């Protein structure tokens, strides 16, 4: 198949019928100053709109200790959810709702996408799996998301019904 030179060796190339396929990719960069301004205008309501229940608890703990750390947490979650919405091809509409997409941390600290409600059902019906990476530096938070599908028969146009 067509792949970038050096991206994988012949031994790493999957050829079975259950080969993993990329369903979509998404990236986002978020200006933390804009998050700070939105938070300044809307206060905690802004965080409540963007964050899931679990994320909201983490945000409140971080904000209580160090408000700037809370803003960075909010910015990275905002960015990650935007990247995820692009990777699934729906944008912030349809099954994709801010609070149904949670960016949690594995025990070692690596981020993971945890879905809830109708979004979780939509994702599972398509046999999808997400990988997310987050970063923040001075005034920006950025995220990259890859969504893959293990069964090519499930790949459909984004936003379509199974």
């Amino acid at each position: 198949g067509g792949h970038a030179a050096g991206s994988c060796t012949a031994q790493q190339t999957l050829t079975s019928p259950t080969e993993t396929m990329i369903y979509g990719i998404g990236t986002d960069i978020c200006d933390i100053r804009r998050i700070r301004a939105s938070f300044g205008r809307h206060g905690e309501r802004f965080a409540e709109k963007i964050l899931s229940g679990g994320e909201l608890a983490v945000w409140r703990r971080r904000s209580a200790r160090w408000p700037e750390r809370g803003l960075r947490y909010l910015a990275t979650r905002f960015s990650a959810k935007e990247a995820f919405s692009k990777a699934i091809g729906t944008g912030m509409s349809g099954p994709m709702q801010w609070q149904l997409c949670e960016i949690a941390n594995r025990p070692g600290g690596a981020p993971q996408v945890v879905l809830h409600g109708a979004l979780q059902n939509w994702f599972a019906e398509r046999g999808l799996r997400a990988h997310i990476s987050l970063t923040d530096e001075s005034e920006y938070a950025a995220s990259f998301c890859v969504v893959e599908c293990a069964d090519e028969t499930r790949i459909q146009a984004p936003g379509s019904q199974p």
Side-chain angles (χ1 to χ4, degrees):
H3 57 75
S7 65
C8 67
T9 66
Q11 292 82 13
Q12 294 171 316
T13 303
L14 299 173
T15 56
S16 71
T18 58
E19 177 177 326
T20 299
M21 300 180 66
I22 292 185
Y23 182 87
I25 60 170
T27 188
D28 187 74
I29 186 165
C30 174
D31 189 331
I32 297 171
R33 294 167 292 196
R34 290 184 63 205
I35 297 296
R36 190 178 293 115
S38 293
F39 184 75
R41 283 191 307 275
H42 304 289
E44 196 162 311
R45 284 178 311 159
F46 180 68
E48 290 168 348
K49 175 185 173 188
I50 303 303
L51 303 175
S52 69
E55 290 169 323
L56 201 54
V58 172
W59 172 77
R60 285 182 175 133
R61 284 194 306 271
R62 290 185 181 190
S63 294
R65 285 196 306 256
W66 185 21
E68 182 62 23
R69 191 165 177 228
L71 283 171
R72 287 180 176 283
Y73 180 85
L74 189 54
T76 56
R77 271 46 193 181
F78 184 97
S79 174
K81 293 175 189 204
E82 285 282 347
F84 176 80
S85 75
K86 293 170 185 176
I88 64 172
T90 64
M92 296 305 295
S93 63
M96 179 60 195
Q97 296 175 29
W98 290 107
Q99 296 170 347
L100 297 181
C101 178
E102 179 175 352
I103 310 301
N105 291 95
R106 298 180 195 280
Q112 66 178 338
V113 178
V114 178
L115 303 176
H116 303 282
L119 180 57
Q120 180 183 31
N121 296 338
W122 182 92
F123 201 73
E125 286 168 357
R126 287 158 178 77
L128 303 177
R129 186 169 64 167
H131 306 275
I132 191 88
S133 179
L134 322 173
T135 188
D136 65 274
E137 183 64 42
S138 65
E139 297 301 330
Y140 296 96
S143 302
F144 185 76
C145 183
V146 174
V147 173
E148 59 184 6
C149 178
D151 179 359
E152 69 180 277
T153 63
R154 292 187 185 200
I155 292 189
Q156 309 166 30
S160 68
Q161 295 298 316

